[in-house]
Amino acid sequence: MAKTYDYLFKLLLIGDSGVGKTCILFRFSEDAFNTTFISTIGIDFKIRTIDLDGKKIKLQIWDTAGQERFRTITTAYYRGAMGIMLVYDITNEKSFENIKNWIRNIEENASADVEKMLLGNKCELEEKRQVSKERGEQLAIEYGIKFIETSAKASIRVEEAFFTLARDIKAKMEKKLEASNPPRGGHQIRASEPQKKPTSWLSRCTIL
Amino acid sequence: MDYEFPKEFDLIVVGTGVVESILSAAASRVGKRVLQIDENDYYGGQWASFSLESIIKSKHHKKDYGGNESETNLLRFGNDLVSLKNIAHKFHMTSNNTLEEETDKIENEEQPKENKWTEENLLKLSRKFNIDLYPKLQYARGDFVELLISSNIARYCEYRSVSRILIWFNNRLESLPCSRSDVFANTKVSVVEKRMLMKLLTSLNDKEKHVQNYENKTFKEFLTDKKLTPNLIHYVLYGISSSSDDTSCEDGIEKARRFLNSLGRFGNTPFLFSLYGSGEIPQAFCRLSAVFGGTFALGQQIQGFSISDDKFKSVTLQSQTVEAEKLVLNIENLPARFIKSDKLEYISRCILITDRSVLDSEKEHLSLIFYPPTDGKSFTTVIEMGFLTGTCPNNLYLVHLIAKQNTSPQEDFQHVIDKLFASHVEETSQEKPSILWSYYFSMPETNDIILSDDLPNNIFVCPGPEIDLDYDTSVDKAKLLFEKMYPDLEFLPRAPDPEEIIIGDDNEEEESTDINEEDHDKVINVEQEDKENVISAEQEDKVNVISAEQEDKVDQQ
């Protein structure tokens, strides 16, 4: 039987309220944009399967469910995440400054080798820009992560961002699989194991 | 702080323990506008998990409650009665700074030589610990697991099955024969006994028949009358039904049946455990509540709440008063005047970090150990967690002891600890694990607490953890409260799930998209119904102005 995908990656969107996390999610998963998605009510995660170098990669992208608003993101949100999009709004200085706090939050809660990427969203609003592209680049260099300016509204480079992150995770994972066989520690293995039907949990069970 | 909540909600939930989080999720799920707040800057209250450093630092009790009423006629949350008591922690090895080299090794290889653990290098691994205040298991076919599945909350957690069950018998640890294959593989049980045991286990299904003549008798009497051998009575009474000598026949049979019914669903034992600790469970419900519009705020300074005309009216936070139709709160947060009971039962708790398993074995990472009552000591449940449970670093074990309190946690567990562990690092024996760190406390048992009659009828009080191994009592309690709160609404109906539909079938690519669309619609509907709950962009801007101090606080979680 043909499998529908080779890898499953859990990705997270993190950043202040109103920077456009949900819009980015919808742009990427449905190619849609809707300004009424100001708050993230009812949205848990979205799925899109992409092709990368002949492999089908299922991206499961989780939204914060509004819990970023009062900094009450559950620790469980970070569990098992392989990639994190750190999003700020180029028209909102504060959202950019808060990125360092979010990074600290990630360091405390997510797995140490999680792949991160910095997104400056709303780049179509050039006239309202408060954060220069150079500053975004500089911050990304500081943390040793990649940086892209996107626009969910105008559909600029959103695809590119997710493909880049997915490619980096895939590369890291394949390298790891090669290097250490068998890998230690249970929870990193998960993504490389094609998920079975939820009904067939064995000793380690997850209903996704 | 500068941010503001909407002025009005349908429901305010104070506390983030399991029962109140289930209620929060259930209310949000059916479209109620929910605000859930906690004075702690972490989720879970008495159900939380901590890193090693944070459990040592955490006080687990609030400031004094002297004078319940403030000048403004606000009732203050909290009471002195329901809090953790007799907290005592200790590192059992000498603190030694000269072992820097060793520490580096641990960081790199996680392969320290035996007996080289120091306070410093344990603390360095602090964040790899998820230490439950109250560890809970889940019966594979219990109400709780069924609820996780039916409500689709299961997707927020991962689970491990308990890999073995041990029982203290004849002065040693033995595997408990619980499944058919265990029974037959067991060398300690004679062939005749095997037949006897299988016959009993099969026949327990017909509960009515058994209970008839044993209405006022104990389960032990029942088993004795069945002419079981002492071996078998020990296994069934203390193991399979985890009962004591005075457990009634009806309860004993019921417990044994739950155990047997949950066999064979996931793994070799009837129990599941949530990966990364029991503290994940309340958070899973909070996540669902948030997905359906619930507003969450931790580390809140709450001034109190007001009652008028015998009804709960509003909660006053640091600088804002928020009204709601109903209030759900944890018993910890209930003002003392609404608690009738003046004396509480306690559960003795002990948490240990050890350097090896109580019974070494290659593949066992999560053991449940039953220690039967002896010499007036209570039945003790021991849960040993290894690295693969996500609750402790490699090469270390986290051991939880739970018993109904007789005198004090130290005294209640001394006999068990003497038998299972070496008492000092120096006196290492080849077989017994050494205790590196211990943490003792008393947990109040609040499930049967009696509330005063003048509690307003739009206030709903949730108990903390109770002595049972699992969450089923908590689920029942939450269901009961939800029924009282919203008699006509469904309790946690299935949440839409795009992931589940896409996974699984191998030829679903096309049809799944359709179902996805449908789910999408459902999601949008919820959003529109809840429009009023949407915090405006203006308010969101305010939220961004959180001071660094506040962030630090929240970050610590």
Side-chain angles (χ1 to χ4, degrees), chain B residues 476-494:
Chain B
D476 289 347
K477 184 75 190 179
K479 275 184 185 160
L480 215 72
L481 288 172
F482 185 80
E483 230 161 75
K484 269 197 213 164
M485 291 163 64
Y486 303 111
D488 304 323
L489 295 173
E490 195 182 346
F491 180 73
L492 285 172
R494 186 177 187 80

Side-chain angles (χ1 to χ4, degrees), chain A residues 61-85:
Chain A
I61 309 157
W62 290 67
D63 205 350
T64 50
Q67 288 185 318
E68 81 284 11
R69 204 168 289 144
F70 301 102
R71 308 241 157 196
T72 53
I73 290 180
T74 55
T75 54
Y77 181 68
Y78 292 100
R79 306 276 188 219
M82 310 179 72
I84 298 180
M85 288 289 191

Side-chain angles (χ1 to χ4, degrees), chain B residues 21 25 87 122 130 149 184 215 276 282 293 296 392 394 408 482 489:
Chain B
S21 298
I87 301 173
L122 272 190
N130 283 304
I149 295 170
F184 285 100
E215 268 146 14
Y276 308 111
F296 283 78
C392 71
N394 209 352
S408 74
F482 185 80
L489 295 173

Side-chain angles (χ1 to χ4, degrees), chain B residues 339-351:
Chain B
I339 299 176
K340 221 178 195 172
S341 324
D342 51 358
K343 230 177 130 239
L344 285 182
E345 299 269 320
Y346 284 86
I347 300 166
S348 282
R349 285 278 292 113
C350 170
I351 306 168

Side-chain angles (χ1 to χ4, degrees), chain B residues 207-224:
Chain B
K207 182 177 150 195
E208 301 304 317
K209 194 178 100 195
H210 293 303
V211 178
Q212 267 172 17
N213 303 318
Y214 288 88
E215 268 146 14
N216 296 313
K217 290 186 176 168
T218 64
F219 190 45
K220 193 174 185 178
E221 285 172 292
F222 167 81
L223 294 172
T224 316

Side-chain angles (χ1 to χ4, degrees), chain B residues 400-419:
Chain B
H400 290 275
L401 290 89
I402 306 164
K404 205 167 183 301
Q405 188 156 92
N406 276 337
T407 50
S408 74
Q410 280 85 349
E411 284 179 31
D412 287 346
F413 295 129
Q414 197 54 53
H415 66 296
V416 181
I417 287 174
D418 287 346
K419 292 287 186 193

Side-chain angles (χ1 to χ4, degrees), chain B residues 505-520:
Chain B
D505 293 325
D506 290 317
N507 54 349
E508 86 307 338
E509 204 60 67
E510 277 182 319
E511 64 181 273
S512 72
T513 334
D514 296 337
I515 305 171
N516 243 340
E517 295 271 327
E518 216 171 83
D519 277 340
H520 180 84

Side-chain angles (χ1 to χ4, degrees), chain B residues 196-213:
Chain B
M196 240 182 215
L197 184 57
M198 284 314 297
K199 197 176 155 201
L200 176 83
L201 297 184
T202 323
S203 74
L204 282 180
N205 270 328
D206 195 357
K207 182 177 150 195
E208 301 304 317
K209 194 178 100 195
H210 293 303
V211 178
Q212 267 172 17
N213 303 318

